Amino acid sequence: MPSTPPQISPVEEQEKYLHDALGVVKAQAFHMKRALDKNKLMDALKNASAMLAELRTSLLSPKSYYELYMAITDELRHMELYLVDEFQKGRKVPDLYELVQYAGNIVPRLYLLITVGLVYIKTNTSLRRDLLKDLVEMCRGVQHPLRGLFLRNYLLQCTRNVLPDAPDTDVDCPEGTVKDSIDFVLMNFAEMNKLWVRMQHQGHSRDRHNREREREELRILVGTNLVRLSQLESVTLEKYQKSVLPGILEQVVSCRDAIAQEYLMECVIQVFPDEFHIQTLNPFLKSCAELEAGVNVKNIVISLIERLAAFSQRSDALGSEGVNILQEVQLFEVFSNQVSSIIANREYLPPEDMVALQVALVNLALKCYPDRIDYIDKVMLSSVEVLQRLGLEHLESHTPVAKELQKLLKIPLDNYNSLLMVLKLKHYAGLMQHLDYLGRKALSIYILNNALEHETIIPTAEESEQALTLLNTLVTDKNEHPIGELDMEELAEEQCLLARFIHQLRSNEPDDQYLILTSARKFCHQTITALVKAELAELPLRLFLQGALAIDQIGFENHETVAYEFMSQAFSLYEDEISDSKAQLAAITLIVGSLEQISCFSEENSDPLRTQCALAASKLLKKPDQCRGVATCSHLFWSGKSLASKGEETHDGKHVVECLKKGLRIAKQCMDTSVQVQLFVELLNHYIYFFEKGNDQVDVEILNQLIKKIGDELANLESSDEAEQISKHFSNTLAHLKLRMESPDGDRDVYRGIKLNPDGVVETEKEKVDA
Amino acid sequence: MMAESDTTVEATRRLNVKKQTLDDAYAAPANFLEIDVVNPVTTIGVGKKRFTDYEVKMRTNLPVFKVKESSVRRRYSDFEWLRNELERDSKIVVPPLPGKAWKRQLPFRGDDGIFEEDFIEDRRKGLEVFINKINDDYADVTVPVLEAMQHHSTTY
C-alpha cells in the first residue's frame, strides 16, 4: 500500500537524530560490556538488542546511517570476542543460535544471528557451509533498501576471513569448498543489487536527483561482493568463466538500472585480473551491448581495451600453452567484432562515441599487432561504414564527432611517420572525405608537414597520384571554402607546403620520374588555376611562365603543347586579370622575357605568340609604355629561338625593324617632347644593338637619321634636369659608337659612315672617296 | 535448527521461499502514488470575477488505477465539495481543509485579499496536505477520491 516516504530532514535535524542515536548506543554498549564482564550473557544480549534497535530508524540519511552502523558494529565486536573466547574455552552456550532468533524485531535479530553464526563458524568449521547458507538467506527478512544493504554488508564483512577457499571435490564437504563461497557471495550480491536498485523508486519523483546521489554513496557496499569474489584464491579461470562471471553479468544486465550497470561493469574490470578478462571478452562485451541507454558503454569498452593492450605486452602474459597470450586470443578480432555489434545494437550511442571506439581499436592494433596494417585498414573501413550508415557527410569541424575523426586519421600517420604507409590504407582517403572542407584542409596540412618533417620520399607514380589525390583539398578548388575572405597568407603557406612536398615525389628510375612529374604537372596546373581564382594575378602569371620555361627544358613527349598551354594561360591571365598600367608593363616584359628563352616551339606556335606580345605591347595604356613594350618585343624576333631555327636565334631582321619603326611612330605621338626625345634615345640604343649584332636591316642610314633627329630635338628642349639627363644619355650612346669606330680591334668598317655629329660631319674615308 | 541441538523448533523453522524471478526482483515496486497540488493561477472567470485554481497532479503505478498519470485544475470550492461528499458518505474522520478566509473577502482591505501571493501559497500547501492525508490514512477511499477529483468540477 502507499507508504509515506521517509522523512529525511535537513542537515541540523540529521545531526540531532544521529546524536541522539549515538547516545543510546553509547549507553547500551556500556551496559553490555559490563554484563559480559560479569558473564551475564542474557543481559548482554538484551543490551545488544537495544543498541541494534537504533538501526531500525527511517530518519537517517545514508551518510548518517553509516556512522551509526560503524559505531554499533564496533561495539558488537566485544560480544563476538567474548563468545569466541567462551566457546574456545569449551563453555559453549547451548542453543545460542536458536536463542537469538527470538529477539523481537528483525533488524536486531539478524545482526545478532550473524554475529553468533560467525562465532559458531570460527569455532567449528564443519558447520561452515550450512551456516553460511542459512545466514545469507535469512537476511531476506529485511527488505528495506537502506537497512537491508547495511545488514548484508555486515554479513559480508564478518565472513571476510572464514569463507571456504578449498577447490571443489567430489566428496561431500560440510566445511564447504570454493563453490559454496561463490554461491554465498553471488546470492548476497544479487540481493544487495536488488535493494540498491529499489532505492531508485523510493520517495517523491522530484527528489530523484538526491536519491541518485545517495545511491552513488552506497555503491561500494554492493561492489564489495565483487571484491570478495576476486579474493577467493581457488577461483580459477575456469570457475570464473563458468560460475562467477555469468552470475555477475546476469544480475547486471537484468537489473536494467543505468547507475548500477555502469558502476558494476567498471568494478568487474577493476577487481578481476587481466588474465581472466582476456579470456572472457565475448560474454563481457555481449553484455555491454545489452546495457541501458544511459550507460556510457564507450568508456567501459575503451578502458578494457587499453588495459588488455597493456597487459598483452607484458612478458608474463602467457596463455595455457605457455606462449604469449596473443597467440591464443585474437584480441583485435574479438574486440573489433564485439565493438561492431555494440555499435549496431545501441540506439543512443552518439556518433562521436562510435568513432572514439574506433580510435581505441586502432591504438590496440598498433600496440599489439604493429605489422598488421590490414587491421588498421579494417578500422578505417568500419569507420566509413558507420558514418555511411548514419548518413554523416561533411562533419563540421567543431563538432565532437569531427574532432574524434581527425584524431583517428592522425594516428596511423603519427605512428608510422610515413605517408607511404598511410597510402597503403585503402580506406583512408574515403574516410577523410567525411570531414568538411576545413577538416580536410587541416588534415592535409598535417599530412604534408609530417611528410616534409620526416623527408618521406614517394618513389612511384602510382603512389604520387594517390598522395596528390589524398591532398586534393589543397590542390583543387571546388569552391568549397566558406564564404568570407580567403586568407592570402594562409593560402600562400599551404601552397608552399604543397610545392615543397612535390619535391618529395621522386624516383631514381627516369621512367618513373617522368610519370611522377606528369601527375605533378597536373597538380601544378590546378594550383595555379586555384591561385588565379583567388584573385592573385602576378604570382600565377610568374608561375605559368616559370612552368613554361621548365617544361621547355624537359624534353618529354608533347612538351611543346604543354608549354604552349602554359603560355596561353599566361596571356589570358594578362588580358583578364592585370589592369594596372604599371603592372601591365611589368607583366608584358616578363612574358616577353620568358618567351625569348623558350626554344621548343615550332613556327606555328612561336609566330602567333610573338605577334601576340607585340600586339599586347602596342595596346598598353600609356604611349611611352607602348613604345618601350614594342621595342622589347623586337628582341623576340632576333634572339628568340624556335624549332624552325633549330634552337638557334631567329635573327628575323625584318620583324625587328618593323617593331622598332612602330616604336618610333608611337614615340612621335607622345605629347611631351622631352619624353619623345628620351624614347628616341632608347630606340637608338636598340637599333645600335641590332646593328652590332649584324641585323642587315639596320643600316647606317637609319642610324644617322635617328641621330640627327635626336640632335635636332634636343636643341629645342627647354633646359631642365630632365633634358640634361637625356642629353647625357645621348652623349654616352654616341661615345660608345665613337669608341667602336676608333677601336683597333673589331670591325671599323661596320661603323663606316655614321655621323656622330650631324652638323659638323666627321668625314670618314669612304666619304672622302665618294666626295 | 543448527548446532548440536537435535530438536527443530517450530518457531524458528525456515519458510519455504519460492525463488524470485529476475524480473520480479528488479521491477519497480507497485506502491507508488504521488499527489501534488501545484501551479496556482488566478484568472478572470464568468461575470468578470477573479478566482484562483490549482493543478492537481497524480502519478502512480498501482494496478488499481487505470490511468497512471493525470492532471486537472481545481479550485478551493471543488475541494470543499469533495470534503462534504466524504463526510456525508463515509465513516472516516475527514481531515480539515485550509481556512475559508472570510475576512480576506471583505472589501476595503489594504492588500489583495484572497489573491495575495502568500495566502495562495499557504492555501496550496494546505490543500496538498489535505489530499495526501486522505490518501495516507484511508487507503480504501483513495481511488474514489481521486476519481471524483478527476471528474467533478464546479467551474468547468
Side-chain angles (χ1 to χ4, degrees), chain A residues 85 113 762:
Chain A
D85 195 45
L113 192 60
V762 173

Side-chain angles (χ1 to χ4, degrees), chain A residues 557-572:
Chain A
E557 204 179 296
N558 250 355
H559 74 142
E560 190 194 333
T561 320
V562 182
Y564 188 80
E565 203 186 300
F566 271 63
M567 288 303 298
S568 307
Q569 292 273 29
F571 259 110
S572 307

